[in-house]
Amino acid sequence: MRIIVLDNDTDFEGWRRAARRLALNDVKPAEVTWTIRRDDELSSASCMNELPDVPQAQFNVPAKFVELAKAAILHRNDERFALLYRLLWRLRSHHDLLSATDDPDVAEVHAMARAVYCDIDRMHAHLRFREIGRERAAHYVAWFEPEHRIVELAAPFFAGRFADMPWSILTPDVSAHWDGHAISITPGVAKSEVPSEDRLEEAWRRHDIGLFNPARLKVMEMPQAYWRNLPEDSIIKPLIEDAMRMTSGPFIARKAAEPRKPQDPPMARKQTQNAQARDTISALRDEAADCRACPLWKDATQTVFGEGPQSATLMLVGEQPGDKEDLAGHPFVGPAGQMLDRALEDAGIDRGKVYITNAVKHFKFVPRGKVRLHQKPNTPEIRACRQWYERELAAIKPELVVALGATAAQSVLGKITPINKNRGQLIDHDGTKVLVTVHPSYLLRLPHEKAKALEYQRFIDDLKIAADQLRNSARAA
Ligand code: URA
């Protein structure tokens, strides 16, 4: 008897490799037992399948069989691996077997594949995301209990449909996460923890470690058997450590440096401090027009650099240009800009006297038909662009920097900074006074008029702190 140990419940590639070798060596279906590697087999040599070498002989199966097998393997039927091998075995001598719909094996595999496809349709139609978190850090979370193991196959649909929003789908088998770039898979949420509406947020918080950092990709590279069924702590702790190491250490510095070209800003940054102090905004703008420090320049229309008087005492930092700004080449001229204009006026701040810029100077988006959907910049992009903010800061020397939203706060303060915990306070950062508040587009997204009015007033209150600060320092001068 041959015991074939597959890496996990949906290990189609493992099954295919093993089945091919077995069939080529004439190992009869009745002589094979299929199992899944369990955690305690991780380091055991006995779990390695000692399959016979593949002889030169070849055989082909219809493409339709591969398609059916890929779907059927996601079915919860414990006999699926054996059934599929039996079919493969029989296909060697009966190439048209799949059209024999009255054959019990054929009927069963078709029924299993159909059940899987129905389950995927059900997930696509019924899954509902709920917004968790606030403002720019908002994340969308859904709980779903699929009948079969379909999450990995069903998830790309949601990445396409909701490309612009970071989401997580929690299920008992595995959880899928989308950060705007890639889908990653982490362990499922145990049934006993099934979150009610109230507990969804709590469940997500427990599982979101590393959602926006490179450590998450390590999870994808690990065989699922390594983390499946592990107690949460044992996987989450190393992830936190990895996340911190990767987002603060040389890893990011190296990443950010990779795409740079010889004439681009990093070379310019080798200028002395004195030279930096001599930068004028217009010289910086010219230099930034050719910035290649991250890949965002490729799809954007142009670099949208900061604008405003070089003598400004107040500097506002947003996230990145939007669709309108990308086309116009000026910051904050679209809907968020109009909201900002109104708020500045209500707070008694003259926009004409303010220097306005963004943490990231190129528009990041995904095309959806005729529309370009805004994408939140990631940490390497924010870091790659920070040199421009630093040089704008050195050129303007404002009395106060106001960071609008989470991306701006991350760039200005050099670390991820929760807005609600820090808003409205004057923070001293490397000798620069910083105030963090929400991004105006947060106000635009609020669905209810009452919340909108309330949050708008809080935004004005924050901007008034900036206005007061500037008035006081002008008086003291
Ligand atoms: N949002 C930003 O953060 N900046 C802009 O320039 C426009 C919208």
Side-chain angles (χ1 to χ4, degrees), residues 73-90:
I73 228 160
L74 308 179
H75 200 280
R76 287 203 198 268
N77 183 337
D78 288 339
E79 295 304 313
R80 64 200 179 285
F81 300 119
L83 168 68
L84 289 171
Y85 183 56
R86 201 160 59 241
L87 272 169
L88 180 83
W89 174 265
R90 295 176 61 202

Side-chain angles (χ1 to χ4, degrees), residues 136 304 318-322 325 330-334 336-337 357-358 439 441:
R136 310 295 284 182
V304 179
E319 182 195 73
Q320 61 164 341
E325 288 80 11
H330 304 289
F332 282 103
V333 292
T357 191
N358 283 300
H439 191 282
S441 65

